[in-house]
Amino acid sequence: AQLVVESGGSSVQAGGSLTLSCTPQGFTFDRSIGLGWYRQAPGNECELVSKIGDGGRTDYYADSVKDRFTISLDTAKNTLYLYMNNLKPEDTGVYYCAAEQPIPVAVRCGRWSQGTQVTVSS
């Protein structure tokens, strides 16, 4: 069973924008569980793209997406978002949202959900 459901993935041209959403199935999102967005491109390992800050810490962004992506948690809607601007072909992959887990990042993709596909063409 999926713990979360992602949506918003699509095919866009380079320079375009997308907003991904993630909603939990039967529980409430909280900053304390280390919510983040991960992605996996074909042939690549899972990587952490962005993570919501907790306990006074700022949000985390991978260097490759800094100043282009913004993560946001709307507690009223119980939804995690990833706002993606100026998309590049290297942003292509399946995007997953998940909480912090005691396993390597490289294997975190797909354990909670099916993800949403983002394809960026040049």
Side-chain angles (χ1 to χ4, degrees):
Q2 293 190 101
L3 295 177
V4 299
V5 176
E6 301 94 344
S7 62
S10 183
S11 295
V12 297
Q13 293 208 323
S17 300
L18 286 173
T19 297
L20 305 185
S21 302
C22 174
T23 55
Q25 304 300 290
F27 65 101
T28 301
F29 275 158
D30 185 90
R31 282 182 171 269
S32 66
I33 63 174
L35 289 166
W37 284 96
Y38 299 77
R39 72 183 176 195
Q40 188 161 25
N44 289 1
E45 290 185 338
C46 179
E47 62 173 330
L48 175 63
V49 173
S50 181
K51 184 178 173 182
I52 280 281
D54 175 47
R57 287 173 290 194
T58 58
D59 299 336
Y60 164 84
Y61 295 95
D63 286 343
S64 59
V65 306
K66 271 181 186 174
D67 300 323
R68 299 189 298 120
F69 290 11
T70 302
I71 193 170
S72 177
L73 176 62
D74 187 328
T75 54
K77 295 183 178 180
N78 200 25
T79 300
L80 182 72
Y81 297 98
L82 185 68
Y83 300 98
M84 305 189 295
N85 296 311
N86 190 22
L87 282 160
K88 302 177 179 181
E90 51 264 43
D91 294 320
T92 294
V94 181
Y95 284 69
Y96 304 86
C97 84
E100 186 68 42
Q101 300 164 67
I103 55 175
V105 171
V107 297
R108 289 184 187 177
C109 288
R111 295 180 67 88
W112 276 33
S113 58
Q114 295 183 347
T116 187
Q117 175 72 46
V118 172
T119 303
V120 185
S121 58
S122 57

